[in-house]
Amino acid sequence: MAQKRWYDYLWIFSALYLVLGFFNILFAWIGLLCFFIPIIISAVFGTKSYCGRYCGRGQLFQLLGGKCGLSRQKEIPAFLRSHWFRYGFLIFFFTMFFNMLYNTYLVFAGAGTLKQVVTLLWTFKLPWNWAYTAAGVAPWVAQFAFGFYSVMLTSTVLGLITMLLFRPRSWCVYCPMGTMTQLICTAKNHKKINL
Amino acid sequence: MVKTKKTAVINKKLCVGCGCCQAVCPLKAVTVQGGMFAVVNTDLCVGCGKCVKACPACVIKVEVQA
Ligand code: SF4
Ligand code: SF4
Ligand code: SF4
């Protein structure tokens, strides 16, 4: 067994993140790290080492599906790994993401009111008012937190489902961050590496 | 005698570059190149198949090479 490095424990961070959202929604802001770090690594260094090393979510699925045996270990259906599905999901994901930013903007501009809900799978609205007290932060800050936590929870649920059905890290096949960093790296490196 | 050797072969068009194969390979024979796709170093690979089982996109096969 290879020696464990500090970054082999980042799954704790991912698990903690999901738990903290149940206590105070404002912790959701920390999730922006999982957004910017992979993009910066791929844009600056041209590698996907975020996926290979630092992604706590990938590690969490590996742990639950692998060590804990919660995965059926079956092959993923071909359509899920097709470029159509992966790029389509990336576009869909970002459309919903910008929609979330727009809702945040509406609250910021005073045209919308803060909705204390976490939306699961872009459809199911779960009341989440226990994790928020209107103290000290602007409503749009909280609105973003609810929206961003929805994104994170939704992707975790999808990831858990495909982990159960297929292989532990099946989520990584269609993970928008994984697809996007691969696209950035390809744009950066395709001329250098001709294989 | 004809030497045969088993080695992992990756469909790089469908590889998502997640690095799961890299993490399990006992011989460090497979690496994700430039964040694009994984490439097997056939000199190092012994065809054990660990990466085949780990790949979430199921794009690795062990093949016999002449
Ligand atoms: S594909 Fe997504 S979930 Fe998987 S390791 Fe990369 S960023 Fe993490
Ligand atoms: S595990 Fe499969 S999809 Fe992931 S980098 Fe290796 S070959 Fe590519
Ligand atoms: S078959 Fe075994 S030795 Fe070859 S790349 Fe896969 S894990 Fe490494």
Side-chain angles (χ1 to χ4, degrees), chain A residues 17-102:
Chain A
Y17 176 83
L18 292 168
V19 174
L20 285 175
F22 279 83
F23 293 100
N24 192 328
I25 198 70
L26 295 177
F27 282 115
W29 276 83
I30 303 172
L32 278 177
L33 287 175
C34 316
F35 223 75
F36 285 115
I37 295 174
I39 294 178
I40 291 170
I41 292 180
S42 59
V44 176
F45 303 105
T47 72
K48 269 187 53 139
S49 58
Y50 182 79
C51 291
R53 276 190 183 167
Y54 308 113
C55 179
R57 169 178 304 225
Q59 292 171 8
L60 193 61
F61 290 144
Q62 186 62 53
L63 200 73
L64 293 174
K67 270 225 179 83
C68 305
L70 293 176
S71 171
R72 292 197 312 155
Q73 302 282 0
K74 296 274 194 258
E75 292 205 359
I76 197 163
F79 83 93
L80 280 178
R81 65 176 192 199
S82 69
H83 287 168
W84 278 104
F85 183 78
R86 291 180 61 216
Y87 297 146
F89 188 69
L90 177 71
I91 293 167
F92 171 73
F93 194 87
F94 271 90
T95 310
M96 299 316 273
F97 190 78
F98 283 111
N99 184 36
M100 184 275 280
L101 289 182
Y102 179 66

Side-chain angles (χ1 to χ4, degrees), chain A residues 46-48 51-52 62 73-76 81-83 86 167 169-170 172-173 178 181-182 185-186 189-190 193 195, chain B residues 11-20 23 32-37 39 51-59:
Chain A
T47 72
K48 269 187 53 139
C51 291
Q62 186 62 53
Q73 302 282 0
K74 296 274 194 258
E75 292 205 359
I76 197 163
R81 65 176 192 199
S82 69
H83 287 168
R86 291 180 61 216
R167 286 187 178 166
R169 276 177 61 175
S170 295
C172 295
V173 173
T181 49
Q182 190 185 30
C185 291
T186 306
N189 295 334
H190 74 281
I193 303 172
L195 287 160
Chain B
N11 178 345
K12 70 177 196 222
K13 282 217 175 78
L14 285 175
C15 169
V16 300
C18 61
C20 296
V32 178
Q33 301 280 321
M36 297 188 284
F37 41 75
V39 174
C51 55
V52 178
K53 289 209 185 84
C55 175
C58 307
V59 297

